[in-house]
Structure formats: structure tokens, C-alpha cells
Amino acid sequence: MNKGRDTFFLQITRLAALSIVFIIIVMAHELFRGSELAFSRFGLGFLTGSEWDPVHGKFGSWPLIYGTLVSSLVALALAVPLSLGVAIFLAELAPPWLREPLSFLVELLAAIPSVVYGLWGLFVLVPWLRDVVQPLLGKTLGFLPLFQGPPLGVGMLAAGMVLAIMILPIITAVSREVLLAVPQSQREAMLALGATRWETIRRAVLPYGRSGIIGAIILGLGRALGETMAVTMVIGNRPQVSASLFDLGQTIASVIANEFSEGFDELHLSALIASALLLFIITFSVNIIARLLVWKVSISQGVSRD
Amino acid sequence: MLFLTVLATGIALVPLASILVYVGIKGLPALNWEFFTQLPKAVGEPGGGLANAILGTIILVLLAAGIALPLGILTGIYLAEFGKDRLAPTVRFLCDVLTGVPSIIVGIVVYSTVVLTMKRFSALAGGIALAIIMLPLVARSTEEMLRLVPHSLREASLALGATQGRTIRSVVLRSALGGIVTGAMLATARVAGETAPLLFTALNSRYWPTGLDERIASLPVYIFTYSTTPYEDLHRLAWGAALVLVSMVLGTSIAARLAAKKVNGGK
């Protein structure tokens, strides 16, 4: 009888595990089914078309893809040096009593809801960008096409900055773990050769953890690409391709948040679901690459430890 | 170079400090008796509260937890204890995939399955959307906690003649309980602040929740709608809602971490 109960328990847990497979299948099925209309109407033009105009029934998603990529790249450009600095400080340099409280604070950043980042971005970051940062950038670096145009506050730059703050904790946390996993012998060998502490970090520790750190960065990228609320609140929501970071933009996630509940004609809804499918495929691939990289590090560690 | 890393850490903490200070300073004046007891007023009328949104958020989170916790913990048990077949690596992989799916996409999928089938926006749809986000988090944290349980405990129980199922239920789960609870609390805190999946599922409402098949208000959606209007009064309420939401979320995750430390420290 006990045996029977055991098998029953096993089957229940297996059923629960299958629910995840079921969810993913339903998800993929719904996204493909919903986007059929848009893809059959526009074909590949859906990806390359540069006009997203629901009123006239024109749906080219290039401005959305562009906005998604550029805002995420701005976020990476700002967040990567900072996160690596914090991770190196936490893993290698900080006095032991400081390490845990600091890691805790950085993790708190990750727990704040995205809509609160948006609220803060809209009422604190945007005015600061408009009144201080953008005029200053325009005056000093205004010859670059990146920093031209009137300082509006909202726009691509604001979105990139909010995203940078939001992905900082994950990049920091994962790279810190990667650095902590570098074997002590690597450091000792370098120090024994007469290297300074900094030379040890730069020549021994960072190269050893390189693929793990790249994995951490790509994991942050995956987070940034799909982030919705905070971006929707500060990016200005205008689907356009513009070289200047001062200009308004739109991302795939933000266009869905803005238009999905208003889009009543079938083609519009289908175009939105098709862009959701694009986002699904992009974040899926990015996450897989990141996992493989981080995974590779942990495997090679396992081998060297044995 | 030490200086540069200290500088980076300092800069990284500025936004955290700024967000917490602003949410505190701007949110506190909005919080009064009315805020916690009254329904929102129509635009233009002064006063009013967000009591329905607070209650709505609690209902949505309870719904999500009610669905995701049993499923997630059972999945975690399967992955850690039984999964010797080909299904386990697939599920583990799909868990990671699901964790990386942007939450707005979960909203769309629940809209086109649950909302279109029921032909109405509902608290239930919102709860399901949040549960889908919560599920992989709970499953993976449960699995990790179960893996931390030493093998000697399992062997001792098996040697006493207990079956595998009995061993898992009475020995393994019991000693991993603290960790599993921590993981569950962190996952709950995470979904309490989610906004995007609620936009087309639970929608929003100006009234008290009446049933699970009705649309329902929530704090995150109110923060979004109020902050994007041009009215000062509503901005004030949005900051108040943010303060309540942040206190709930940070309170839960800090409590979870402290509890985890206590459990680990005790061992």
C-alpha cells in the first residue's frame, strides 16, 4: 500500500512539473496564432517597415525594434562599468564587515517594483535630465548626433538610464558570484610573482571569470529588452527612428502596454501580438546564450575542484 | 584603482537612496485615514483613497500564491528528488525560459486564453498571470533548497525502512522548510509589484472587489494610471500608493532574507 502511495506522490509531482511545459506550449501557440494575420498581411515588411501607424493601419515594427535595442544598449553602456566596479569591490577589495550589508543594499534595488522606478523616473529623473544633464551634454558634446535636439527630459536617454539602474543589481550579483568562484590559487600565484593587488585582479581574476561576466552582462541585457512599465513611463512613446538620444522613442514592450487595451481592430491586435512574438524570440535567445556562458563557468569550476 | 571601485559603488547606491527618499518624502503626506479606507474619487474631486487597490493587490497576490505555491513546490520536489528521467532537464530548462519571458507577454497570453474565454476581465485572470510569473521562481528555489539537504539524512530515513515518498515528506521537506518558505516569500514580494501582466487581465476598477470574475483594482496599476495623468492630486495619491507598495514588497523581502539567515545561522 505504501508503494502505491509513493507512486501516486511521484505522479502528482510529475504532473506539476508538466504544468510548466504546458504553459510554454500554450504561450508559443497563442503568440504564433495571434500574429498570423499580421505576418500574412505584411510578410517580412513587418520587420523592416519603418512606419507604425495604427490609425492608418500601417504596421512596420522597425522603430520598435530600434527603440528596444537602443534603450537597452544605452542601459548596458551605463550599467556595465558601474556593475563591474561594484562587483570587484564587493568580491575582492571591500573590508569583510562591509561586504554583506552592501550586497544586501544592491539586492534591494532589484526588489523595487518596476512601476515605482517609472514613477521616480518620471518625476525625479526626467526633470533633472531636462534641466541639467541634457543642456550640459548639448553644450559640450552637441556636435555628436547622439546629443542633438531640444532637451525634453523624456525620451531614449531617460529610458536607458532607468533601465541601467534596474539591471545593475543582476549584473553585479552574478559577476560577484563569478569572481568569488575564481580559485584562490590563481590570485596567490599572481601575488607570488610580485604583482600588486590591482594587477592580480586585472591579469588573473578578470580573465579567469571572463565568460561568466559576459554571461552576467547578457542576462542584464535580457532583462532590459523586456522591461515594460518603467520604460513606458519615461520613453515618450513615439515610434520613430532617430539618431539622437534626446528624442522620443518606443519599445516593443511599451507599445504593447500602451496600445493593447485600445487596439480593437483585429489587424492592430495581431500586429501587437506579432511584436510580442518578436520580443519573445529575442529575449529567449539572449537568455539561452547567457545561461550557457554562466553554466560553462560553473562546469569548468566543478572540474577544476575535483 | 580601489578608488574607482569605491566610486562605482557610491554611484550605484545614489539611485537607491534617491528612490527610497523620494517615495518616503512624497508618499508620506498622502497617507492618512482616508487613503486606507476610502474609494478613489472621480477625477477633479479632491480627496479619496485607494483602499480598494490595497485590498485588490492583496487578493491578487493571494490568488497567485494559491496557484503557484503548490504547483511550484511540487515541481521543485520532482526536479530535486525524482527527476532522473529525460523530463527533468527539459522542465529545468523551461523554468529558466519562463523566468526570462517579459511579464507583458504573460499578460497578452493570459488575455488571449483566459480573458477571451471568460469574455471579461477578471481578478482570476490577473491572479493566473501573476501565478505564471511566480511558478518558475518557486520551483527553482524549492529545488535548490532540497538539494542542500544532506544525503545522510535521506539514507538514514531509508535505512529505517521508510519509503522514498515518506522520506521526502517527513525528512527532506521538513529540514528544507525554512529555505522553501524564504523562496516563496521572495517570489510573492516579486509579483506583488508586477504591473504589466495586470494591464489586460485584471484591468482596474474604481469600486470594491465584488467577485473573482470581476475586474479588480491594484496598487501598481493605480500608480501607473495616476502618474500618467496631468493632475497634481492624483500624482500625490500615486506617490502614496508607491510608498505602501514599496513597504509591502521591501518588508516581505527583507523579512525573508533575515529569516533565511536565522535558519542558516542556526544550523
Side-chain angles (χ1 to χ4, degrees):
Chain A
M1 196 191 102
N2 270 344
K3 198 83 187 164
R5 212 194 283 164
D6 256 27
T7 326
F8 178 69
F9 185 52
L10 167 65
Q11 294 310 332
I12 292 279
T13 62
R14 176 177 290 160
L15 212 61
L18 280 173
S19 71
I20 291 192
V21 182
F22 174 74
I23 290 171
I24 293 280
I25 291 174
V26 170
M27 197 170 262
H29 176 253
E30 286 300 322
L31 290 178
F32 276 106
R33 194 179 57 102
S35 52
E36 243 169 77
L37 179 64
F39 277 118
S40 68
R41 181 73 62 90
F42 301 109
L44 269 186
F46 182 74
L47 300 181
T48 53
S50 59
E51 219 177 338
W52 181 277
D53 184 359
V55 180
H56 297 99
K58 285 184 190 149
F59 299 102
S61 59
W62 174 238
L64 315 177
I65 300 173
Y66 176 85
T68 307
L69 294 180
V70 170
S71 59
S72 297
L73 288 181
V74 172
L76 281 189
L78 294 170
V80 166
L82 274 182
S83 319
L84 289 188
V86 180
I88 293 174
F89 182 66
L90 287 177
E92 305 284 329
L93 302 168
W97 57 270
L98 198 60
R99 293 184 182 190
E100 209 168 323
L102 270 183
S103 322
F104 183 68
L105 280 179
V106 173
E107 276 173 43
L108 271 194
L109 264 179
I112 295 174
S114 143
V115 70
V116 175
Y117 278 104
L119 183 71
W120 175 82
L122 192 56
F123 292 113
V124 181
L125 185 68
V126 163
W128 181 63
L129 284 178
R130 185 185 55 217
D131 301 335
V132 182
V133 177
Q134 290 184 339
L136 189 71
L137 279 175
K139 222 182 288 168
T140 50
L141 296 169
F143 58 90
L144 294 172
L146 282 179
F147 305 114
Q148 283 170 359
L152 300 167
V154 290
M156 214 62 115
L157 185 63
M161 282 184 81
V162 173
L163 283 176
I165 300 169
M166 298 182 73
I167 62 174
L168 193 138
I170 185 158
I171 304 183
T172 305
V174 179
S175 359
R176 173 174 161 264
E177 265 168 44
V178 168
L179 293 181
L180 286 176
V182 173
Q184 202 57 33
S185 55
Q186 296 282 323
R187 298 189 183 85
E188 283 158 6
M190 199 68 190
L191 289 169
L193 288 173
T196 63
R197 196 152 63 150
W198 177 248
E199 282 168 339
T200 310
I201 293 171
R202 204 166 63 94
R203 298 282 182 82
V205 178
L206 289 181
Y208 195 91
R210 191 171 51 206
S211 68
I213 292 173
I214 295 175
I217 293 170
I218 299 179
L219 221 49
L221 175 65
R223 200 56 71 82
L225 290 169
E227 177 47 48
T228 311
M229 297 319 296
V231 173
T232 308
M233 289 161 86
V234 300
I235 201 167
N237 298 313
R238 186 189 295 161
Q240 61 181 8
V241 176
S242 160
S244 174
L245 296 181
F246 289 7
D247 261 323
L248 309 182
Q250 181 83 290
T251 68
I252 297 179
S254 70
V255 83
I256 298 171
N258 273 312
E259 297 178 5
F260 194 76
S261 45
E262 294 152 18
F264 287 112
D265 79 276
E266 237 176 299
L267 186 62
H268 189 189
L269 280 184
S270 177
L272 288 169
I273 297 179
S275 46
L277 177 64
L278 276 182
L279 183 62
F280 182 75
I281 295 172
I282 296 172
T283 49
F284 178 83
S285 340
V286 165
N287 279 316
I288 298 290
I289 296 170
R291 300 262 171 211
L292 284 179
L293 285 169
V294 176
W295 192 46
K296 212 173 92 187
V297 173
S298 51
I299 287 209
S300 67
Q301 262 168 52
V303 170
S304 68
R305 212 181 282 150
D306 284 343
Chain B
M1 289 322 289
L2 172 66
F3 170 72
L4 272 187
T5 63
V6 174
L7 186 70
T9 312
I11 296 176
L13 292 178
V14 168
L16 175 67
S18 172
I19 290 171
L20 293 181
V21 166
Y22 269 96
V23 168
I25 290 180
K26 294 213 164 192
L28 217 46
L31 298 187
N32 47 31
W33 182 246
E34 232 185 324
F35 184 91
F36 291 101
T37 53
Q38 300 286 309
L39 291 177
K41 290 264 169 64
V43 172
E45 272 183 80
L50 287 175
N52 60 337
I54 298 175
L55 183 63
T57 286
I58 294 174
I59 292 176
L60 284 169
V61 170
L62 287 181
L63 261 176
I67 302 169
L69 288 185
L71 270 182
I73 292 176
L74 285 172
T75 306
I77 294 176
Y78 178 78
L79 291 177
E81 304 290 330
F82 295 120
K84 310 280 187 276
D85 47 7
R86 290 237 310 274
L87 179 62
T90 314
V91 169
R92 207 170 285 131
F93 172 75
L94 290 181
C95 262
D96 288 345
V97 170
L98 196 53
T99 313
V101 171
S103 58
I104 188 104
I105 292 183
V106 175
I108 287 194
V109 171
V110 172
Y111 172 84
S112 57
T113 50
V114 182
V115 174
L116 288 186
T117 314
M118 288 174 73
K119 295 203 170 52
R120 61 202 304 175
F121 298 100
S122 64
L124 187 65
I128 291 175
L130 294 184
I132 292 178
I133 294 168
M134 204 170 161
L135 179 60
L137 303 174
V138 177
R140 287 312 299 268
S141 75
T142 304
E143 184 196 358
E144 267 169 42
M145 290 307 141
L146 292 178
R147 285 190 186 284
L148 289 180
V149 176
H151 262 287
S152 52
L153 273 180
R154 291 190 182 83
E155 284 156 10
S157 165
L158 292 170
L160 286 172
T163 62
Q164 195 190 7
R166 185 70 201 261
T167 303
I168 292 168
R169 285 191 300 268
S170 334
V171 177
V172 181
L173 274 183
R174 191 156 299 173
S175 52
L177 191 64
I180 294 175
V181 171
T182 303
M185 283 170 76
L186 287 178
T188 311
R190 158 84 200 278
V191 297
E194 280 290 346
T195 318
L198 298 179
L199 291 176
F200 346 111
T201 53
L203 215 64
N204 203 353
S205 155
R206 281 185 45 215
Y207 308 101
W208 289 104
T210 46
L212 293 185
D213 58 343
E214 298 287 334
R215 41 204 276 197
I216 193 170
S218 62
L219 284 172
V221 176
Y222 259 108
I223 297 175
F224 176 56
T225 20
Y226 274 6
S227 64
T228 43
T229 61
Y231 305 102
E232 283 287 333
D233 236 24
L234 300 186
H235 293 169
R236 207 174 51 85
L237 284 174
W239 281 105
L243 178 55
V244 174
L245 186 65
V246 167
S247 317
M248 280 163 63
V249 169
L250 289 192
T252 314
S253 41
I254 291 175
R257 278 174 215 283
L258 290 183
K261 206 180 280 175
K262 211 170 172 188
V263 169
N264 291 337
K267 266 181 191 164

